[in-house]
Amino acid sequence: MILSLRLKNFRRYRDATLEFTKGVNFIEGANNVGKTTLLYAIEYALFGRVDGYKTISGLMHPGTKAMGVELIFESRGVRYRLQRAHIRPPRSRTTINGHFKLKQVNPEGEKYLMSSDFDDTDDKLLMRLQELTGLTRRLFAVAVNMKQGTIADILNGSPQLDIVLGVTAAVMAEEELRAMALELEKEAAALPVLQERRKTMNAELEQIALRLSAIGRERSEAGELLARMGAAADPRAALEAVLSPLGAAMDRLRGAAAGLGEADRRLAEERSRQEAALARGDMASVEAGLAEIAQARGRQQAQAGEAQEELRALDQQRSGLDQQRGDLSGRIARRSALPTAAADGEAGGDPTCEACGAPIDAAHNAREIAMWQEELAGLEAQLGALLERRQAESARLEEARRRMQEGQLAEDALRRQGAALLSAEALVATRQADRAGAAAGLAAAAEQLTAAAAAATGGLYGLGMEVQLSGSHQAEQAEAWLGLLGSEISGLRLRVAEEAGRRAAEREALVALCGRLEGEERGFTARQAELEREVAALNAQITVLERKVARAERFRRVGAGFKTYQLKVRSDASQQLAVETLALHRQLTGGSGAAGDPAGDGTEAGEGEFTALTIDPARYSVEVVPKDIGESVPAGLYEGGGHRLLLGLAFRLAVVRRVGSLPFVLLDEPTYGLDVANREQLLNRIAGLGVADQFLLITHQAMGEVQGRRIRVVRKGKETVVESTRDAGMAGGAA
């Protein structure tokens, strides 16, 4: 139920507030004063737009940049405040921004439920309002908001009733299911092709399995042959295993023979060196030469000692003479530096000392300098003689040292000669011992080779080779013996190599066969895995498509059920609406016993002017059976406008009653075309129908003594205002 309505800058209303009550609320005023604008404001508040207005700007008061509507309503005993506004931003000519708020009004204050400032959308607001009021936009257009001049239009049918009555849900479900089934069937159209392809792939898989089985058997046989060939010892390896000890024995004999030859060579070399050393002298001459060298060294050492003593004495004398020469040279230099004549300007003729100022005897000074120079010349002569003696002694010392060095060299040579004689004798003995050891080693190696040849001959018999190896030669014939054995071994190896080549060729053929079979097996296995993956993917696709086929069949069955349900809902709704419409029409016209002419056409009411009323379930068009005709005729074509108005009003109110008790109903000039008496009766009967808790009814005609709230609106210049609000039957009113 609407409690109040406030409009700001909405069409011709600057700022107006209207308060409504339960029951009938009459909004009266002259034509074109702005009564219908109030119903527009209610529609705008509930749904954010008004049918017939393409833009919101058409609802704004001229010259304003913002408008708003506040609707206070009650639902289930709780009050709500709904505010909706549209504001044009500054410097914008086309853009208009919408805003809304929904609050719960409690005694302790208001509580925000939704707001565009909270990022709530109009869709969420409409769903919340539908929960609170039970109104949808289509229900509002069909049954709640009954516009002037369009009330009777419903008699010709209204497709929107499918949505209001819930039939559309079944229709949409049936169409959606049919579309879904068709889409699934389109998707499953490739199912037969996929099934045939799977059949072909499965056949190929069977062929591959057979081929893999054959390849497996062939590989197994080739593998067994290869394993047997591999299990048999390689003849070359077996031969080498037999010949290996013989080869080692031959190597030992070859090494022993080479060792004996090397021992003979070294013994010959040492004997040659010994003979050369003996040719240079024996040990007696070496010892005599050493004694003579020792005596000469003694004499030379004594001479060197004497020369060194003489040199030391001469060096001491030279040091003393050098000191004396230095002293004399210093005195001569100092005296020569003294003045020999008086300085210019001095009194007397003798010079004076510059340091102390004492007079200097120049003649005496000259005599002393001459004497010292003679003494210095004598010292120079002594030093010259001394140097000559020293050079002679140095030469004598060097000669003694040279002879001593030559004696040492001769001594060293004699000692080396003696050592060589001794070493040659010892080395010859060593080489003789080495040669005896090498001969013994050769004999032992010959015995080992004889034993190895016998063992190898037995081993060759074990390998199936009847060969007698040479093994009875003497050690001195090692070279010939080894050559004969080598020739025999080469022949054996050649025979065995030919056998090994034959076996290798057979093995390579088997390996190639196994490789080819393995390659074929890998190829077929890869193809098998690929086919299995493709078959698995194909099975998945086929399963999905089979499920889609099954779902399509279910959708069609369910869709058929919805089709049946749709027809049943329409039929039931049409029958019930027909009954309700006929009953409401009789209530509105007083057909339950009241006399009169409610339709204004001279027909008595009695039990009602129609014996029957039907509604076509396909189009919801109304047909009636008038008593005076006795047959069904379209209600929209029967008699005058007052009659069609009452039938249309009854039909719309029947829809209201069917969908449930609605909070309010808006009626715009529902008595248009009725006379005064029938108009008052109709208005009184509308209030007593119990279809809705509240009626907001617009009229510009006199209402007589009909009970209800009267709200009068008038024009003041270009603005519409609320002139008065009063309740019928009460004195005075609230302005």
Side-chain angles (χ1 to χ4, degrees):
M1 183 176 68
I2 299 176
L3 301 178
S4 69
L5 175 69
R6 183 181 179 185
L7 299 81
K8 290 199 68 173
N9 295 327
F10 193 87
R11 298 192 75 189
R12 291 176 179 168
Y13 289 86
R14 275 288 190 179
D15 190 355
T17 301
L18 298 90
E19 295 183 354
F20 304 104
T21 186
K22 188 176 181 180
V24 181
N25 295 265
F26 296 101
I27 302 169
E28 58 183 6
N31 286 333
N32 199 30
V33 74
K35 302 185 294 299
T36 305
T37 297
L38 300 176
L39 305 188
Y40 291 164
I42 294 172
E43 183 177 1
Y44 166 77
L46 292 173
F47 304 108
R49 61 188 181 90
V50 176
D51 278 342
Y53 282 85
K54 295 182 179 180
T55 61
I56 293 296
S57 60
L59 298 172
M60 283 186 171
H61 192 83
T64 60
K65 293 187 176 181
M67 71 170 185
V69 173
E70 179 184 85
L71 187 69
I72 299 178
F73 63 93
E74 184 175 293
S75 175
R76 303 182 187 93
V78 180
R79 291 191 176 189
Y80 299 91
R81 186 188 303 274
L82 173 62
Q83 297 172 327
R84 191 185 288 275
H86 275 80
I87 303 171
R88 192 190 305 276
R91 296 185 298 278
S92 176
R93 295 183 178 180
T94 58
T95 302
I96 299 179
N97 298 326
H99 306 274
F100 65 82
K101 292 181 178 66
L102 178 63
K103 306 175 185 177
Q104 181 177 324
V105 182
N106 300 316
E108 59 274 11
E110 295 184 349
K111 174 185 176 182
Y112 270 93
L113 300 180
M114 301 185 75
S115 174
S116 56
D117 294 337
F118 302 159
D119 293 332
D120 291 323
T121 61
D122 279 328
D123 293 340
K124 294 181 180 179
L125 176 63
L126 293 177
M127 292 178 65
R128 189 63 179 272
L129 291 175
Q130 183 177 348
E131 293 175 4
L132 296 176
T133 64
L135 296 177
T136 64
R137 183 157 187 80
R138 290 181 177 84
L139 178 59
F140 184 83
V142 171
V144 177
N145 187 18
M146 302 185 195
K147 298 180 181 180
Q148 178 181 354
T150 64
I151 295 176
D153 292 347
I154 197 171
L155 297 175
N156 296 321
S158 175
Q160 291 185 340
L161 282 175
D162 269 347
I163 300 174
V164 173
L165 299 175
V167 178
T168 299
V171 175
M172 293 176 64
E174 187 269 333
E175 291 178 352
E176 184 67 22
L177 288 170
R178 186 172 67 252
M180 291 170 65
L182 182 60
E183 185 67 26
L184 291 172
E185 288 168 353
K186 287 180 180 178
E187 294 178 5
L191 181 59
V193 177
L194 295 179
Q195 290 173 337
E196 187 63 28
R197 184 181 174 191
R198 181 177 62 180
K199 184 177 179 181
T200 303
M201 287 183 175
N202 286 329
E204 186 178 355
L205 280 172
E206 292 177 1
Q207 294 297 323
I208 290 175
L210 293 175
R211 181 58 184 149
L212 284 174
S213 177
I215 290 174
R217 290 193 299 272
E218 195 172 354
R219 277 193 65 190
S220 178
E221 294 172 359
E224 291 176 0
L225 288 175
L226 196 59
R228 286 197 296 271
M229 292 185 67
D234 187 347
R236 290 172 296 184
L239 177 64
E240 294 302 326
V242 171
L243 296 179
S244 178
L246 180 61
M250 291 175 67
D251 290 340
R252 285 194 293 273
L253 180 61
R254 189 177 290 109
L260 181 59
E262 180 66 18
D264 288 338
R265 185 185 64 79
R266 290 181 178 179
L267 178 58
E269 288 179 354
E270 292 303 328
R271 283 178 175 172
S272 176
R273 292 192 187 95
Q274 184 182 29
E275 291 175 357
L278 289 173
R280 289 192 296 271
D282 56 6
M283 288 300 297
S285 61
V286 170
E287 290 176 354
L290 290 174
E292 184 180 352
I293 291 171
Q295 292 175 0
R297 180 184 295 113
R299 293 192 298 271
Q300 292 164 1
Q301 288 177 347
Q303 292 176 2
E306 292 175 359
Q308 286 178 347
E309 288 296 330
E310 185 65 23
L311 286 174
R312 281 196 291 273
L314 291 174
D315 287 340
Q316 289 178 357
Q317 292 178 12
R318 179 183 176 184
S319 177
L321 292 174
D322 285 338
Q323 183 176 4
Q324 292 177 10
R325 185 179 62 178
D327 290 341
L328 286 174
S329 297
R331 281 185 285 176
I332 291 171
R334 287 193 295 275
R335 288 295 181 90
S336 297
L338 292 175
T340 57
D344 294 338
E346 290 183 356
D350 294 330
T352 59
C353 180
E354 293 179 355
C356 61
I360 297 174
D361 186 354
H364 178 72
N365 190 28
R367 286 192 299 272
E368 284 186 345
I369 289 174
M371 182 182 63
W372 290 342
Q373 287 177 344
E374 289 178 359
E375 188 177 353
L376 181 61
L379 288 175
E380 292 289 346
Q382 291 179 14
L383 281 172
L386 185 63
L387 287 175
E388 290 178 357
R389 289 176 57 194
R390 191 179 188 288
Q391 290 177 353
E393 291 300 326
S394 294
R396 188 159 66 93
L397 178 61
E398 289 298 324
E399 180 65 19
R401 287 177 177 174
R402 183 183 63 76
R403 290 179 180 178
M404 289 173 63
Q405 186 175 5
E406 290 176 353
Q408 184 64 43
L409 292 175
E411 182 181 4
D412 292 341
L414 288 173
R415 290 187 183 280
R416 284 195 298 273
Q417 183 180 356
L421 290 171
L422 294 174
S423 176
E425 185 177 356
L427 286 174
V428 167
T430 301
R431 295 292 182 262
Q432 288 176 342
D434 292 343
R435 202 267 176 195
L442 180 61
E447 292 178 0
Q448 292 175 359
L449 181 57
T450 301
T457 299
L460 292 174
Y461 278 117
L463 295 177
M465 300 180 184
E466 296 182 1
V467 178
Q468 181 66 44
L469 295 174
S470 301
S472 59
H473 291 69
Q474 298 299 319
E476 292 78 5
Q477 301 172 344
E479 185 175 353
W481 190 9
L482 290 172
L484 182 59
L485 281 175
S487 177
E488 293 173 351
I489 290 172
S490 296
L492 287 173
R493 284 175 174 165
L494 181 60
R495 287 167 52 191
V496 171
E498 291 176 353
E499 178 65 19
R502 184 183 61 79
R503 292 189 182 183
E506 293 178 357
R507 184 179 181 84
E508 287 177 2
L510 286 174
V511 170
L513 176 61
C514 289
R516 180 178 60 81
L517 292 175
E518 185 178 358
E520 290 183 6
E521 187 177 35
R522 283 198 302 270
F524 281 115
T525 302
R527 177 58 180 164
Q528 185 182 44
E530 181 182 357
L531 283 174
E532 287 175 350
R533 288 193 298 270
E534 291 181 4
V535 169
L538 204 56
N539 284 334
Q541 293 180 358
I542 289 173
T543 301
V544 171
L545 294 182
E546 287 175 346
R547 289 176 180 173
K548 288 183 177 181
V549 170
R551 287 172 60 194
E553 293 176 357
R554 289 197 301 272
F555 286 161
R556 288 197 177 276
R557 288 197 301 271
V558 175
F562 272 110
K563 183 69 174 178
T564 303
Y565 174 74
Q566 166 194 344
L567 297 176
K568 185 177 185 306
V569 170
R570 276 184 171 177
S571 177
D572 293 346
S574 299
Q575 292 177 8
Q576 293 178 12
L577 284 175
V579 172
E580 292 288 343
T581 300
L582 184 58
L584 286 170
H585 180 265
R586 288 176 177 173
Q587 286 181 269
L588 292 173
T589 60
S592 59
D597 185 12
D601 55 5
T603 303
E604 291 292 334
E607 292 299 324
E609 61 181 301
F610 305 118
T611 59
L613 185 147
T614 59
I615 297 177
D616 180 15
R619 297 177 54 251
Y620 298 105
S621 59
V622 180
E623 292 189 358
V624 294
V625 180
K627 290 181 179 180
D628 55 350
I629 296 179
E631 62 182 19
S632 179
V633 296
L637 301 177
Y638 178 68
E639 296 189 358
H643 160 74
R644 289 194 299 273
L645 176 65
L646 291 175
L647 266 180
L649 184 59
F651 191 7
R652 291 181 185 270
L653 292 176
V655 173
V656 173
R657 179 172 287 177
R658 175 168 175 77
V659 298
S661 179
L662 295 180
F664 59 87
V665 173
L666 308 179
L667 299 172
D668 192 354
E669 298 290 356
T671 60
Y672 182 80
L674 300 180
D675 57 24
V676 175
N678 286 313
R679 183 167 59 245
E680 291 185 14
Q681 292 178 9
L682 176 62
L683 293 176
N684 282 318
R685 289 165 184 163
I686 287 175
L689 291 177
V691 174
D693 294 335
Q694 185 182 54
F695 288 90
L696 302 184
L697 191 148
I698 294 175
T699 181
H700 64 275
Q701 298 173 338
M703 291 168 285
E705 296 301 323
V706 178
Q707 297 293 320
R709 174 160 292 185
R710 310 286 179 87
I711 302 172
R712 185 171 184 79
V713 295
V714 297
R715 287 282 296 277
K716 288 187 177 180
K718 295 182 179 180
E719 182 181 347
T720 300
V721 298
V722 179
E723 183 183 53
S724 63
T725 301
R726 66 185 181 87
D727 293 324
M730 298 178 62

